[in-house]
Amino acid sequence: MTDADLPYQDGPDGDEMLAAELSLGLLSGEEQTQAERRARTDLAFADRVEAWDKRFASLTEGIAPVTPPAGLFQQIEARAYGSGPRRLWRQLGLLPAVFGALAAALVLLVALDFGVLEDQPGPTATMTAQLAAEDRSLVVAAAYVDEGGRLFVERQIGERPPNRDLELWIIVGEAAPISLGVLPQDRRIAEFTVPADLRATLGDAVLAITDEPIGGAPDGTPTGSVLAAGPVSRI
């Protein structure tokens, strides 16, 4: 990589190097926490991180898809989360974290296109969504696969409130929200099944996450605050 390849030239403050390290997942501990917080509040710094995201993501364009062996998804989960939550892309070496205007669901989309999130070969995401709080304290990516109505969700930023659960809802038009289930407490990636009668209209739907009692809304109706929401987009 030459200086001409850099999306920006670094300044004396070292922000360019910090943005690149955040994009590559090289930071840890308090340094990572501070950098992620700054990427959510400092637009100039977020632009730098996004520029690196785009550049690193482009490095995967020439990689041909492969058929994974059976059981790979469970092995990936065990390696990725055995010693604490980590970003799946970092363990797989596919592409960096995604912030800013890039769809956060791209992380899952690329993984799905390469077949690394599945026990069976060949799934391809047809719709994605990014659910984000206004202050980006909670960011969730979603990628939908037509086969089986499977919706993969990755909680990329944020934690569940103490003694509460995060519940995922699908809202189509003016219809009442329908629960897809509660996000797992012990891992960041989960798979949900979209009801068969909603799949045809999923492209016009909105996904939302609410703060609910442990186990989810008791009567199937949202009771807590809406923490993040975003429309479903076709690819």
Side-chain angles (χ1 to χ4, degrees), residues 163-170 176-183 185 192 208-226:
N163 301 315
R164 303 283 287 181
D165 267 336
L166 300 176
E167 189 161 1
L168 178 64
W169 304 83
I170 180 172
I178 296 176
S179 175
L180 295 179
V182 171
L183 272 63
Q185 301 178 13
F192 298 91
I209 293 176
T210 60
D211 165 24
E212 300 293 343
I214 296 295
D219 60 356
T221 302
T223 62
S225 302
V226 177

Side-chain angles (χ1 to χ4, degrees), residues 1 3 6 22 34 51 93 117 120 184 194 196 215 217:
M1 181 183 294
D3 289 346
L6 296 176
L22 177 60
Q34 293 293 337
L117 287 182
Q120 303 296 325
V194 176

Side-chain angles (χ1 to χ4, degrees), residues 66-79 88 92 114-120:
V66 296
T67 300
L72 181 59
F73 179 53
Q74 288 79 5
Q75 296 175 36
I76 291 171
E77 278 198 311
R79 290 181 58 189
L88 181 63
L92 302 180
F114 282 101
V116 298
L117 287 182
E118 298 299 312
D119 293 341
Q120 303 296 325

